[in-house]
Amino acid sequence: MLEVIDKGSVTDSHPVPLLFVHGAWHAAWCWDEHFLDFFADAGYRAVAPSLRGHGASTSPKPLRACSIDDFVSDVAEVADGMPTPPVIIGHSLGGLVVQKYLESHDAPAGVLLGSIPPRGSGGSAVRWLRRHPWHFAKLSLTGRSLPYVSTPKLARERFFSPDTPADVVDRYASRLQEASTRAGFECFAAARPDPARIGTPLLVLGAEHDGATSRGEVLATARAYGTQAEFLPGLGHDVMLEPGWLAAAERIDSWLTGRHL
């Protein structure tokens, strides 16, 4: 059973629903803090599932064994339950899940926020190894990554800008949860998406102070899909949780409105 947070309804101005896909260590709650209400109030139906094993979603197997294909199936299950195909919006690892989903499913549009690029997460892993070699070694041995992202200091480094208030970082760091070991390793190579199979129009957004996805990776993602990357000033990786989240939401809204979605 998947936890699904569903707000708002489609309107004449925005007849296409939105489906938000979270990344590793997060769940549907990260969209519910600000984005779902913003888009519902703007006349959209805004839906955010927690992928299996995350949030209140159950899983038939341990979270550590869940694959990217499993998460794609979760997205497909929610999307198939909607009257019309939704716009798919993915963050970080969720952006990779969205790309894999779009290889075999139609969608009117997609948005990638700080997404893992089509070439995989090797660059991110190398940066992690250089920054925290002992953390990376223990993660590789135990399969447990939560301890190395969930302290306020480490959460700020990876997910938030230097100017994000400490109470915001503390609050959200405490809500992070363990991620899938299998999915994490698949992001290196096994689950790389094929941009040639994806014809969906995409908005590719990065953040100025992203500690997880580099500027070069955001640019590479945009190039792979024949579009231009845009960068949100002053924000960290978790653009939907930052105090400046409104700039990200408004840019997505304006892009969708410009496409009559």
Side-chain angles (χ1 to χ4, degrees), residues 123 145 213 233:
S145 57
T213 304

Side-chain angles (χ1 to χ4, degrees), residues 31-235:
W31 302 111
D32 197 30
E33 289 293 285
H34 305 294
F35 268 43
L36 297 188
D37 285 331
F38 170 87
F39 285 99
D41 291 344
Y44 296 88
R45 181 184 176 192
V47 177
S50 290
L51 301 174
R52 66 183 66 189
H54 295 78
S57 292
T58 59
S59 175
K61 57 186 174 183
L63 173 61
R64 65 179 180 275
C66 291
S67 67
I68 295 295
D69 281 347
D70 290 330
F71 297 152
V72 171
S73 294
D74 294 341
V75 172
E77 177 183 330
V78 177
D80 289 348
M82 296 182 174
T84 58
V87 172
I88 311 289
I89 301 166
H91 174 248
S92 196
L93 180 141
L96 184 80
V97 172
V98 166
Q99 293 171 69
K100 294 298 292 182
Y101 171 86
L102 293 175
E103 285 184 333
S104 56
H105 296 81
D106 292 328
V111 180
L112 302 178
L113 294 168
S115 176
I116 293 174
R119 66 191 184 201
S121 61
S124 178
V126 168
R127 290 192 299 276
W128 197 344
L129 176 61
R130 288 174 176 170
R131 192 179 300 150
H132 298 293
W134 183 233
H135 289 180
F136 194 82
K138 289 191 286 186
L139 182 161
S140 300
L141 288 171
T142 66
R144 296 183 65 246
S145 57
L146 182 63
Y148 314 115
V149 300
S150 60
T151 69
K153 180 180 178 180
L154 293 172
R156 180 184 294 279
E157 180 182 289
R158 190 171 188 86
F159 301 121
F160 297 98
S161 77
D163 297 327
T164 303
D167 65 310
V168 174
V169 176
D170 292 350
R171 181 165 72 251
Y172 294 134
S174 71
R175 300 195 68 176
L176 300 175
Q177 67 167 96
E178 192 57 78
S180 166
T181 308
R182 177 177 175 181
F185 280 111
E186 286 181 343
C187 289
F188 290 148
R192 288 179 184 172
D194 180 2
R197 297 176 58 189
I198 300 171
T200 304
L202 294 173
L203 173 64
V204 178
L205 294 177
E208 180 184 10
H209 298 296
D210 195 325
T213 304
S214 72
R215 182 180 180 87
E217 287 164 340
V218 176
L219 291 170
T221 298
R223 284 195 302 271
Y225 294 107
T227 190
Q228 296 292 316
E230 300 180 28
F231 291 88
L232 299 160
L235 299 186

